[in-house]
Amino acid sequence: ASSLYDAGLQQGRLASSRIHTWMAAPEMRSVVAFVQGKGSEAFAELKRKNGEEFPELAEEVRGIAQGADLDLDSVWAASLLPELEALMNVVDTDHCSDIYAVSEGGFADGFTHGHNEDWQGIVNKLFYFVKITATSGANFSSCAGLAYPGALIGWAPTWNEHGLYLTQNSLFPRGVRSNGLAGTFVQRDAICGPRGRMGIDEIVDSITSKPWSYGASINLIDMHARRFANIEVSEDKHVVYEVTEATGNY
């Protein structure tokens, strides 16, 4: 892709059938009804805040909508789903789980990480992988990940070309605010943006220095440096835990 708008346009065209199926599902219909009704002001603020902070990702959202022939707000809703459902007071604790494992001989003898993408309903039959390859002269880095239909990569497992990847487990903090940044955008920028090539510490700082709208548990793996870290974040609060050889499995 020559731009993130172009990447979104291609995704929208290629995955149009899956995106339309997801948008017609009861979960997404209820979210779209919310943003068109009593949640409209909060939705507008979330779009404004994230669009201003991440303008190139907002262009990718626009490209997805154009490629899939959908209204723009529906596609924004797909990438703001955790925040919008929190504003709707929807709590479903049956979501993702992760495990970190380190050999008894330490990282040098082997390490692994496992993740279950456990979002319930029809969407688990509609996931697809997206690989964004930057063409010569593009102002972004190549990146790839598992996509929820019509959404940006960055929410589900996502990795960059520098040996780093992340996964997310849903958290359900008591607080949510519309004038904060959405997890999908923050995580995508951290792993695929300029700081993604600088190692796990830079990614941690990128994630924890932002004013989040809601919260999440983020798992980070640096294949080259052989490091694991977990971040739990809620609005302006966060805790970072590094999984070391002494920790073992976690």
Side-chain angles (χ1 to χ4, degrees):
S2 58
S3 67
L4 289 180
Y5 170 80
D6 180 34
L9 188 68
Q10 293 184 52
Q11 181 193 157
R13 288 171 174 168
L14 290 168
S16 178
S17 175
R18 291 181 180 232
I19 296 170
H20 278 267
T21 300
W22 175 225
M23 292 299 175
E27 183 173 1
M28 281 305 301
R29 288 205 310 268
S30 68
V31 171
V32 171
F34 173 73
V35 303
Q36 292 175 343
K38 66 178 182 180
S40 60
E41 290 186 9
F43 180 54
E45 180 64 8
L46 279 167
K47 289 191 299 177
R48 184 195 67 79
K49 187 77 173 179
N50 287 275
E52 289 180 355
E53 183 73 18
F54 308 110
E56 292 175 358
L57 296 181
E59 281 295 289
E60 187 176 340
V61 171
R62 188 170 69 87
I64 295 170
Q66 182 74 25
D69 194 22
L70 281 167
D71 69 279
L72 184 56
D73 279 353
S74 294
V75 180
W76 266 102
S79 287
L80 297 173
L81 188 58
E83 292 73 23
L84 293 172
E85 290 196 334
L87 288 165
M88 295 167 64
N89 294 315
V90 173
V91 177
D92 182 355
T93 57
D94 293 328
H95 287 322
C96 307
S97 54
D98 283 62
I99 183 170
Y100 300 87
V102 182
S103 170
E104 291 182 357
F107 281 104
D109 284 355
F111 60 97
T112 191
H113 170 267
H115 173 83
N116 284 338
E117 193 68 24
D118 291 339
W119 201 277
Q120 300 297 306
I122 192 175
V123 72
N124 61 29
K125 302 182 187 301
L126 300 171
F127 298 142
Y128 51 85
F129 288 99
V130 171
K131 179 182 179 182
I132 300 175
T133 303
T135 57
S136 178
N139 64 348
F140 60 93
S141 298
S142 298
C143 211
L146 180 71
Y148 279 63
L152 299 172
I153 58 171
W155 177 15
T158 305
W159 54 95
N160 65 27
E161 57 186 336
H162 307 288
L164 292 109
Y165 78 95
L166 66 74
T167 67
Q168 190 212 83
N169 308 123
S170 296
L171 292 183
F172 303 96
R174 294 178 180 176
V176 58
R177 57 189 179 184
S178 59
N179 65 338
L181 299 177
T184 298
F185 288 80
V186 173
Q187 293 169 197
R188 168 67 179 276
D189 178 67
I191 194 74
C192 300
R195 300 180 77 176
R197 67 172 64 94
M198 300 178 187
I200 199 168
D201 293 319
E202 287 292 321
I203 295 175
V204 168
D205 185 67
S206 180
I207 289 170
T208 58
S209 62
K210 302 287 195 306
W212 280 60
S213 166
Y214 192 36
S217 175
I218 303 109
N219 307 290
L220 295 171
I221 298 86
D222 188 331
M223 301 294 290
H224 298 320
R226 299 179 177 181
R227 293 178 64 191
F228 291 155
N230 172 264
I231 309 165
E232 290 195 356
V233 59
S234 173
E235 296 185 347
D236 297 320
K237 307 179 185 69
H238 68 268
V239 176
V240 180
Y241 181 78
E242 183 161 359
V243 180
T244 65
E245 292 178 334
T247 308
N249 298 341
Y250 177 73

